Amino acid sequence: MRVLYFAWVRQKVGVAEEAVSPPDEVRDIGGLMAWLAVRSPGHAAAFANAKTIRAAVNQDFAGPDHPVRRGDEIAFFPPVTGG
């Protein structure tokens, strides 16, 4: 699974992207975020308030209950506003 981080999420995690192999129990975006949060202090800081992070699975917006699978590309980013 390829995980991409954007904006302040990337700054806190410390990398723009990483390849991860979460355990089988991680089946959705919410579970992935919880699993990532324990990987490092940077991940913990980035995912401390999950409601402030948006996600996309294979370039489609996804909510916390959206399933994730091996081979997916997951992106995490702050809310986007127009202007």
Side-chain angles (χ1 to χ4, degrees):
M1 183 178 300
R2 182 176 174 214
V3 180
L4 309 174
Y5 304 104
F6 294 93
W8 60 259
V9 181
R10 177 182 60 222
Q11 291 174 336
K12 290 183 181 196
V13 170
V15 297
E17 68 179 81
E18 61 184 332
V20 299
S21 296
D24 291 338
E25 301 84 49
V26 174
R27 296 184 179 148
D28 57 26
I29 289 291
L32 179 60
M33 292 172 78
W35 180 76
L36 288 168
V38 299
R39 288 178 54 90
S40 76
H43 287 83
F47 293 102
N49 187 355
K51 292 181 180 183
T52 63
I53 297 178
R54 300 295 177 257
V57 176
N58 300 320
Q59 300 182 5
D60 288 324
F61 286 108
D65 296 332
H66 192 284
V68 294
R69 296 175 198 82
R70 290 180 192 227
D72 281 346
E73 177 187 85
I74 314 298
F76 292 109
F77 47 91
V80 179
T81 59

